[in-house]
Amino acid sequence: MRIPIIAGNWKMNKTPSEAKALIEELKPLVKDAEATVVVCVPAVDIAVAAQAAEGSNIHVGAQNVHFKESGAFTGELSAAMLKEAGAEYVIIGHSERRTYFGETDETVNQRVLAAVNAGLIPIICVGERREQREAGYTNALVTYQTMIALTGLTDDQIRNVVIAYEPVWAIGTGLTATDEQANETIGVIRKAIENRYGKNVAADVRIQYGGSMNPKNVKGLMAQKEIDGGLIGGASLKAPDFSAVVNYQN
Ligand code: 13P
């Protein structure tokens, strides 16, 4: 049985003091969650967030990681740095990084390998743009993105990664994939993993939906059999909204 995982992606929001305040507000609201709860915060917030979350069921994640262990990469952060600061998870290959920062499937794969080797759990984002869906490429594209991202991992390492299916046209737009659309595409991703790595591995991988997920639509999405959680942007910035998503079963 896969344990659901609800992760907030704060994107470029919240200073360290604001991060501490939001986590303090969240702690009592999410303490009985049946899902794994993660907040992926700006890098400078990680240490403060981890300290605030200590002893609670809130896990802290980063939003990107460099693929090298160390060296002359001005402005970048290694997996070991993020881990020591208190991150347990890291978002990799978010569409905003692919669109604005030249992220490719190959660099996503390198970052995934670096994260896993350092003991971080990657949340690997895949998803199609609107014109790609309209042209009928969604299944081929998410399959390709997923297969490249997982290249070089062992079966056991793959069991432990999280994949987030985020249709780009649904991010920050208020448009959500229908429950059935999200379930179908996540099923395609799971099938691709099964075809290459076998049924047992595919059955263990947690695959989230992301894109305008909120307290209103979470229940319907989470009722779908392939959907194991959510990666939440806007609705993760306010404690009442994020906790309502986390506690979708109530
Ligand atoms: P929104 O929930 O704001 O649409 O963002 C989704 C997202 O990009 C999460 O990574």
Side-chain angles (χ1 to χ4, degrees):
M1 264 312 283
R2 299 184 293 270
I3 298 168
I5 176 166
I6 305 285
N9 174 9
W10 290 3
K11 308 192 179 185
M12 197 172 73
N13 294 289
K14 307 289 179 190
T15 64
S17 59
E18 290 167 347
K20 181 176 183 332
L22 178 50
I23 288 174
E24 293 298 348
E25 197 182 347
L26 275 173
K27 279 198 283 192
L29 300 176
V30 303
K31 68 178 177 19
D32 298 321
E34 289 172 37
T36 304
V37 182
V38 185
V39 289
C40 295
V41 305
V44 293
D45 295 354
I46 292 171
V48 156
Q51 202 173 21
E54 206 176 324
S56 78
N57 61 333
I58 299 175
H59 301 267
V60 174
Q63 300 176 8
N64 185 30
V65 59
H66 193 63
F67 34 83
K68 294 287 189 190
E69 283 181 18
S70 63
F73 301 101
T74 302
E76 294 295 320
L77 298 168
S78 73
M81 291 170 187
L82 300 173
K83 183 135 201 290
E84 195 170 320
E88 295 175 73
Y89 292 79
V90 58
I91 297 171
I92 296 176
H94 191 279
S95 65
E96 286 149 19
R97 296 215 61 86
R98 294 177 190 258
T99 302
Y100 306 130
F101 303 101
E103 191 80 69
T104 65
D105 291 309
E106 287 70 26
T107 56
V108 167
N109 175 238
Q110 291 177 43
R111 290 177 211 273
V112 168
L113 292 170
V116 169
N117 286 333
L120 292 170
I121 299 175
I123 300 176
I124 304 164
C125 300
V126 301
E128 80 288 1
R129 298 195 303 271
R130 181 200 294 266
E131 66 275 16
Q132 293 167 326
R133 174 165 282 269
E134 286 168 358
Y137 295 149
T138 299
N139 295 355
L141 187 83
V142 297
T143 297
Y144 180 82
Q145 289 175 325
T146 304
M147 288 302 102
I148 300 290
L150 299 179
T151 301
L153 295 181
T154 66
D155 287 6
D156 281 342
Q157 288 170 332
I158 292 172
R159 284 175 205 274
N160 205 34
V161 306
V162 178
I163 295 174
Y165 166 56
E166 298 207 310
V168 179
W169 48 270
I171 295 177
T173 57
L175 297 172
T176 330
T178 63
D179 301 345
E180 294 74 22
Q181 271 174 334
N183 189 60
E184 186 189 334
T185 307
I186 289 176
V188 167
I189 294 168
R190 196 178 306 285
K191 193 75 195 165
I193 297 172
E194 182 183 320
N195 289 343
R196 176 73 177 76
Y197 298 99
K199 222 181 173 76
N200 291 342
V201 173
D204 279 353
V205 177
R206 293 189 285 181
I207 310 181
Q208 302 170 311
Y209 168 78
S212 300
M213 201 162 173
N214 60 42
K216 288 205 176 73
N217 59 27
V218 62
K219 239 189 163 85
L221 287 159
M222 290 303 294
Q224 299 289 321
K225 96 175 202 314
E226 297 291 350
I227 304 181
D228 303 319
L231 187 55
I232 323 298
S236 72
L237 297 173
K238 293 200 176 111
D241 288 350
F242 187 58
S243 59
V245 174
V246 164
N247 298 317
Y248 65 91
Q249 278 145 323
N250 299 349

